[in-house]
């Protein structure tokens, strides 16, 4: 491809062209003009596809840790919970 001006929407499965860069400059957006295609929705869609295709996908692509619904590794979640519980529990034993 010699045309470096045209980007394609990076939303999974979307092949529409990305919106053109702003006339005043700045980087070209990576998504088409669909309101549903943005960094967050693309991220969620990729996670959904990863879950659906997890049977065939190599584990290395998803990382060694198990990922829960929120996309937080279980290990991190437990560490978070430990810190959270400790910091919010009032010191009552005085
Ligand atoms: Zn799109």
């Amino acid at each position: 491809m010699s045309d470096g001006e045209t980007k394609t929407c990076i939303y999974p499965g979307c092949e529409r062209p990305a919106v053109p860069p702003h006339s005043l400059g700045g980087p070209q957006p990576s998504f088409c003009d669909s309101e549903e295609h943005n960094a967050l929705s693309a991220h969620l869609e990729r996670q959904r596809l990863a879950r659906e295709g997890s049977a065939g996908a190599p584990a290395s692509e998803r990382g060694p840790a198990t990922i829960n619904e929120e996309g937080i590794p279980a290990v991190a979640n437990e560490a978070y919970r430990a810190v959270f519980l400790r910091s919010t529990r009032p010191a009552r034993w005085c």
Side-chain angles (χ1 to χ4, degrees):
M1 290 270 200
S2 57
D3 190 348
E5 302 261 318
T6 306
K7 277 167 87 174
T8 304
C9 178
I10 62 171
Y11 190 91
C14 182
E15 293 179 355
R16 302 172 68 191
V19 294
H22 196 277
S23 57
L24 294 179
Q28 181 179 9
S30 301
F31 298 93
C32 65
D33 57 2
S34 169
E35 286 185 14
E36 297 190 356
H37 291 179
N38 54 54
L40 177 61
S41 65
H43 176 69
L44 294 176
E45 178 69 0
R46 271 190 227 107
Q47 283 192 327
R48 192 181 67 81
L49 292 173
R51 267 202 300 272
E52 282 188 357
S54 59
S60 57
E61 260 188 35
R62 289 177 292 130
T66 50
I67 309 293
N68 65 11
E69 287 293 318
E70 290 103 332
I72 304 168
V75 177
N77 197 21
E78 280 196 9
Y80 168 80
R81 196 175 296 157
V83 172
F84 181 76
L85 291 177
R86 197 182 306 155
S87 61
T88 54
R89 181 173 295 163
R92 283 190 188 145
W93 30 72
C94 51

